[in-house]
Amino acid sequence: MTISDIARMAGVSSAAVSRYLNGGPLSEQKRVAIHEVIEKTGYRPDMAAQTLRTGKVNQVGVITPSISSYSVGQITAGIVSELDKHRYLMLLGNTDMDERRELGYLNVMQRNHVAGIILMGSFYTPQLAQAFRSCRVPIVVTGQRFPEMPCVYNDDRSAVRELTRRMLDAGRRKIVYISGTEQDQAVGMFRRSGVQDAMNTAGLDGASLPSVSCSAFTIEEGERCMKQLLELYPDLDGVVCVTDLVALGAMRALKAAGRIVGKQVSLAGVGDNWAGSLTEPGLSTVHFYQKQVGVEAARMLLHMLDHPDPDEPVRQLTLGYNIVDRGSIDGISRA
């Protein structure tokens, strides 16, 4: 299948098909006719030939910390939906939270001539900062607020502050926290700070917040951490967890210990994982608009590719959130 074949089937010239594929000006009638033929035939242009002809690389690298993460899947879906509109392909790299692999992907993707890179951030290190400075293509970061980098991220601190405030409003005063690592600003430092902010506002000592760090955001780690906290603080009456999967593990441990979730002890997670709607009680949580994070990151990168300007101010975009009450805080579902 060639451009000439597509042109003949669509009833247009080969030049019109070429303009369509390269994003050139074209009447809506011709655009629709060509699109229908391409969808029907499944035609995909030769990317190498197209690059040689136009000098434009229609490929974006996306680096993720964990491909199995629910939020990563949502962000990736948002990125793809926007890249597809502009006929860019996605090259995916999964680091498994390994900084060396992250740095390796940044180098490999540049050698493979991607037009730009979207990095789902985790830890900001001097090595990563140096890699950013030496990168030859535009980069956008999601999920974290890295200094002097274009970023799209969630308001983690405010979201967890409001979540904890609702727990305090339910009368809980002996709140504990299951955390991530402090290296991860969004999931570690900012979410912890949100719990502490709410406690301080309520007249409690947020600086002495009892907590345990999990080594991975899994149900098993949540269960292990919850058992540890129950041993250390048997009179606890509220648990805020760094993610929903961790909270689901904590729920399992609380129930095994004979605690009635939503009545005797409040429990909340972050991320609005679908599994939280299937438990009894349902898991109260924070909903972030992760797919929109991916959409906005792709839009930001595409703008940088279409309008390269080293003097343009660095954009950093914060998206909102929504609290989802399903009953695990005060026994009353409002979802």
Side-chain angles (χ1 to χ4, degrees), residues 159-269:
V160 177
R161 181 191 302 127
E162 183 175 346
L163 191 71
T164 307
R165 181 184 59 76
R166 296 192 183 201
M167 197 172 286
L168 291 162
D169 288 345
R172 310 307 184 189
R173 289 297 180 271
K174 298 176 181 178
I175 295 174
V176 299
Y177 180 56
I178 301 180
S179 72
T181 66
E182 293 303 313
Q183 288 176 290
D184 185 334
Q185 286 189 337
V187 178
M189 183 175 67
F190 290 149
R191 293 183 187 181
R192 173 190 290 273
S193 296
V195 180
Q196 294 172 321
D197 289 346
M199 292 178 66
N200 289 333
T201 301
L204 303 175
D205 183 10
S208 62
L209 170 68
S211 67
V212 171
S213 297
C214 53
S215 61
F217 300 144
T218 63
I219 291 175
E220 292 74 21
E221 268 295 279
E223 185 174 18
R224 180 192 67 79
C225 290
M226 190 70 256
K227 289 178 179 178
Q228 184 177 345
L229 285 167
L230 284 168
E231 290 179 3
L232 294 172
Y233 309 98
D235 59 344
L236 63 84
D237 62 6
V239 186
V240 181
C241 297
V242 66
T243 70
D244 280 356
L245 286 184
V246 170
L248 293 173
M251 182 180 289
R252 181 190 292 174
L254 287 167
K255 289 183 175 180
R259 304 294 181 91
I260 302 175
V261 176
K263 298 294 185 181
Q264 297 174 335
V265 57
S266 293
L267 175 67

Side-chain angles (χ1 to χ4, degrees), residues 18-263:
S18 180
R19 286 197 298 274
Y20 174 90
L21 294 174
N22 295 316
L26 201 63
S27 71
E28 186 62 23
Q29 181 180 0
K30 290 182 179 180
R31 189 176 300 278
V32 170
I34 295 169
H35 176 77
E36 289 178 351
V37 172
I38 287 176
E39 289 296 306
K40 181 179 179 180
T41 61
Y43 172 79
R44 292 295 180 267
D46 184 321
M47 296 301 295
Q50 192 173 19
T51 297
L52 288 172
R53 185 171 62 253
T54 66
K56 183 177 181 181
V57 183
N58 282 11
Q59 187 169 249
V60 167
V62 176
I63 303 174
T64 74
S66 175
I67 196 64
S68 62
S69 164
Y70 180 64
S71 61
V72 165
Q74 291 179 304
I75 294 171
T76 303
I79 293 171
V80 171
S81 70
E82 196 64 22
L83 293 182
D84 279 351
K85 295 177 184 177
H86 299 268
R87 293 185 287 282
Y88 274 83
L89 298 179
M90 180 181 72
L91 179 64
L92 184 66
N94 181 49
T95 70
D96 280 330
M97 303 293 289
D98 185 330
E99 181 192 349
R100 292 171 300 177
R101 294 182 69 180
E102 186 175 65
L103 295 172
Y105 275 125
L106 282 169
N107 288 325
V108 168
M109 287 179 174
Q110 291 178 72
R111 289 202 301 270
N112 280 275
H113 307 293
V114 297
I117 295 173
I118 296 175
L119 171 68
M120 297 185 199
S122 50
F123 309 136
Y124 189 74
T125 64
Q127 293 80 9
L128 185 60
Q130 178 57 43
F132 286 157
R133 287 192 291 269
S134 61
C135 191
R136 300 186 301 273
V137 299
I139 301 178
V140 173
V141 175
T142 72
Q144 300 282 357
R145 187 175 185 177
F146 286 171
E148 300 178 0
M149 292 299 299
C151 300
V152 183
Y153 53 92
N154 300 301
D155 191 354
D156 290 271
R157 185 168 186 167
S158 296
V160 177
R161 181 191 302 127
E162 183 175 346
L163 191 71
T164 307
R165 181 184 59 76
R166 296 192 183 201
M167 197 172 286
L168 291 162
D169 288 345
R172 310 307 184 189
R173 289 297 180 271
K174 298 176 181 178
I175 295 174
V176 299
Y177 180 56
I178 301 180
S179 72
T181 66
E182 293 303 313
Q183 288 176 290
D184 185 334
Q185 286 189 337
V187 178
M189 183 175 67
F190 290 149
R191 293 183 187 181
R192 173 190 290 273
S193 296
V195 180
Q196 294 172 321
D197 289 346
M199 292 178 66
N200 289 333
T201 301
L204 303 175
D205 183 10
S208 62
L209 170 68
S211 67
V212 171
S213 297
C214 53
S215 61
F217 300 144
T218 63
I219 291 175
E220 292 74 21
E221 268 295 279
E223 185 174 18
R224 180 192 67 79
C225 290
M226 190 70 256
K227 289 178 179 178
Q228 184 177 345
L229 285 167
L230 284 168
E231 290 179 3
L232 294 172
Y233 309 98
D235 59 344
L236 63 84
D237 62 6
V239 186
V240 181
C241 297
V242 66
T243 70
D244 280 356
L245 286 184
V246 170
L248 293 173
M251 182 180 289
R252 181 190 292 174
L254 287 167
K255 289 183 175 180
R259 304 294 181 91
I260 302 175
V261 176
K263 298 294 185 181

